[in-house]
Amino acid sequence: MLSVIIPTEGAEQPVVATLSALVPGAAAGVVSEVLLVDRSPDPSVMERVADVAGCNFMTFLGSPAAALAAGAAQARAPWLMFLPAGAVLDPGWIDETMQFVQSVAAAGRPRAGVFRYALSPSANVSLRDRLRAVARVVIGPLGDQGLLIAREHYRQVGGYRPDSKRAETRLLRQLGRASRTTLRSRIVMV
């Protein structure tokens, strides 16, 4: 039911943390595939991680936006979840995701979901973190909050444009508040 697309830059630890948070979703049948899209010049590390974890793997040497678009094009499930490498979801994400998908289907009106951003309890809060928190309040969610969207809705809004800078933020703005829901589940970057 859900394809998870994770863009990577060759760093193993953040990807493994994200994958471990997805295991219960795979066991529950919510996650049908995970696709790692690696943009590093040496894909051997991510290829090994994908092999061990049972993920699909592709290399892509273009822009981050083009990598996301390529991952979406390869995904097979009717729902897409885009997560940054290093994102760990709250344990309640599975039930909430199922409820969200069912409510969107029942309403017959396309909506996308983003997760509530939270800093890691062990993180040192920098000035940049504080500025980003203010930006989330003023302009809305940022690309590091993940995105849950039906494949058809993704296509209708034009998806990630390969030539766009900050394509994730642009897509969230294009969705607008009317067709975007902030989910209760938190996303924590490790």
Side-chain angles (χ1 to χ4, degrees), residues 22 52 59 171:
L22 295 175
V52 169
T59 58
L171 181 59

Side-chain angles (χ1 to χ4, degrees), residues 17-31:
T18 301
L19 292 175
S20 66
L22 295 175
V23 169
V30 174
V31 175

